[in-house]
Amino acid sequence: MGMDSDLFCEGLVRRFGANAAVDHISLDVPAGTFFSILGPSGCGKTTLLRLLAGFDKPDEGEIHIRGQRMNDVPPNRRPVNMVFQHLALFPTMSVGDNIGYGLKRRKVTLAERRKRIARVLEQVGLPGLENRDPQELSGGQRQRVALARCLVLEPTLLLLDEPLGALDLKLREQMKVELKHLQKQFGTTFVYITHDQSEAMVMSDRVAVMRDGRFDQVAPPEELYREPATPFVAGFVGDNNRLSGALVAIRDNLAEIRLDDGALVQGRVVAGELEIGQRAELFIRPESLVLSADRVGPGLSVMEAKVRTTLFDGANSRLEAENGSRLVYARLPQDGSAPRLPPGSAIGLAWDPALARVFGAENP
């Protein structure tokens, strides 16, 4: 357990019948960290958050908050607050009364409540709105009131259960920046669960990618993106092309794979024991692909394909191409250098093997 840990868990297990929704999870979250748990629906994220909040008890393992064991501490006695997707603001109370509700239950004096409510409203960018009705506020403002209601209690941990899920796209993008700013401003440790990789990547200091009750990888966002540890992480975090074939050689940590159409391509071996002849998977990011006519040189891997369509995507064009029955995606710059490629055009897509990642196939 780290000396500066706000949250330390070891060997957490929560079973429902024969199914382990949380399967031997361990984590160590330093104070002041924005820590996200990212994974698909049904992977165990919410169950894990409920264990941390005290709404459920683990079958095995330990939960410590600031060095204190929490397994048998009820939710209302833990230094934890929680923000839900549906904000659960009291509709019959003013903004100020919503924020001060927890303080009132703790028997904080009226004068002190008013002072702390005014201060936290200033901090979340809603000064002077104490007497407003929550229904008069925008979705983003209500989100900040819900955060203020938790942060005014000065919790050690703030648990956030997909709080942006009910917002429209533009407001969600705005609130990602707001949440990151507020977390740094308050210095509170955030534990945030989401299935949206863009939320986790933009806001977090560290991200745990969860699958089937376990963590596949825990790392800063940049490392998850550039150095995925498993095929699941490579496929789940960001866009990736996934090419499969037979492993024919490994030289200097570069694996050579014969794709099903006969092409030989290369990528860097990540981890694990690979054997010649086994099925392997190569992952390459769309932005790492270039048209082979634009860049010819020794050591590049090249794959033949036919253009399916080219879509305008802001700063880039999204090129969709077919390699046999497989769709491949590339991002080409919108600087006038990329040629016009009508559907059906034969092209070559090339990449530096150092930018590709190779794993043994999970389902040979």
Side-chain angles (χ1 to χ4, degrees):
M1 186 188 310
M3 294 296 291
D4 62 345
S5 294
D6 268 355
L7 174 65
F8 177 81
C9 300
E10 187 170 26
L12 282 184
V13 177
R14 181 65 176 106
R15 299 185 185 90
F16 297 95
N19 176 54
V22 173
D23 191 3
H24 295 91
I25 289 287
S26 298
L27 67 155
D28 191 343
V29 182
T33 299
F34 197 126
F35 184 87
S36 288
I37 301 168
L38 170 68
S41 297
C43 72
K45 304 184 302 293
T46 297
T47 300
L48 176 56
L49 211 67
R50 286 175 57 82
L51 295 177
L52 301 180
F55 300 145
D56 197 2
K57 288 188 176 182
D59 296 304
E60 299 176 28
E62 300 278 325
I63 301 171
H64 294 259
I65 298 177
R66 289 216 176 144
Q68 299 297 311
R69 187 176 184 272
M70 291 286 139
N71 288 47
D72 299 314
V73 177
N76 63 330
R77 301 294 298 276
R78 297 189 183 196
V80 168
N81 279 98
M82 194 162 179
V83 179
F84 299 92
Q85 182 178 129
H86 301 289
L87 305 177
L89 297 177
F90 299 116
T92 58
M93 292 185 182
S94 68
V95 166
D97 287 342
N98 264 281
I99 293 172
Y101 180 76
L103 296 174
K104 186 176 182 180
R105 286 179 60 88
R106 292 183 180 181
K107 303 191 184 308
V108 175
T109 66
L110 177 60
E112 178 64 16
R113 288 204 308 271
R114 286 175 172 168
K115 183 168 69 174
R116 289 171 67 172
I117 290 165
R119 183 169 67 239
V120 77
L121 279 171
E122 183 78 33
Q123 289 173 303
V124 300
L126 299 174
L129 297 188
E130 293 93 330
N131 297 319
R132 294 283 291 275
D133 187 314
Q135 304 308 311
E136 298 173 5
L137 305 181
S138 68
Q141 289 174 324
R142 288 196 297 272
Q143 184 69 259
R144 281 183 276 173
V145 171
L147 287 166
R149 184 173 61 181
C150 293
L151 291 168
V152 76
L153 297 172
E154 300 177 348
T156 298
L157 298 180
L158 185 59
L159 310 178
L160 301 103
D161 186 3
E162 306 212 39
L164 306 186
L167 303 180
D168 62 52
L169 178 60
K170 184 174 182 180
L171 188 51
R172 196 157 62 240
E173 291 298 313
Q174 177 186 333
M175 284 306 302
K176 285 192 289 191
V177 178
E178 292 278 354
L179 273 175
K180 180 70 172 177
H181 171 72
L182 287 171
Q183 190 269 330
K184 293 303 178 188
Q185 180 181 355
F186 281 86
T188 305
T189 300
F190 279 23
V191 178
Y192 186 101
I193 70 168
T194 182
H195 65 273
D196 185 325
Q197 57 177 287
S198 68
E199 290 180 11
M201 300 295 277
V202 166
M203 295 187 291
S204 309
D205 300 310
R206 292 180 69 80
V207 180
V209 180
M210 193 170 185
R211 174 177 58 151
D212 297 332
R214 297 188 173 215
F215 289 163
D216 261 36
Q217 187 174 359
V218 182
E222 297 87 350
E223 184 177 332
L224 286 178
Y225 191 84
R226 301 185 187 282
E227 302 292 340
T230 69
F232 178 77
V233 175
F236 192 74
V237 176
D239 293 330
N240 237 324
N241 293 295
R242 185 173 192 160
L243 311 176
S244 61
L247 183 66
V248 298
I250 300 178
R251 303 183 187 90
D252 299 326
N253 209 40
L254 288 181
E256 190 170 79
I257 298 173
R258 187 176 300 279
L259 300 181
D260 296 336
D261 65 355
L264 285 173
V265 297
Q266 288 185 320
R268 184 157 62 83
V269 176
V270 176
E273 296 293 328
L274 296 178
E275 297 181 1
I276 304 304
Q278 80 171 86
R279 296 290 293 180
E281 294 178 327
L282 180 147
F283 291 82
I284 182 70
R285 300 283 182 192
E287 64 268 24
S288 297
L289 294 174
V290 296
L291 296 172
S292 59
D294 296 340
R295 187 173 166 203
V296 178
L300 291 183
S301 282
V302 180
M303 176 176 58
E304 294 181 354
K306 285 188 177 181
V307 175
R308 183 183 183 189
T309 186
T310 304
L311 304 172
F312 176 73
D313 189 20
N316 301 292
S317 287
R318 176 183 169 91
L319 173 70
E320 296 184 0
E322 296 173 330
N323 172 262
S325 60
R326 180 191 304 115
L327 277 180
V328 183
Y329 304 96
R331 291 197 188 103
L332 305 179
Q334 286 279 9
D335 57 5
S337 63
R340 295 183 63 85
L341 297 168
S345 302
I347 59 171
L349 293 170
W351 66 89
D352 181 344
L355 300 178
R357 304 291 177 262
V358 173
F359 303 88
E362 291 193 316
N363 298 300

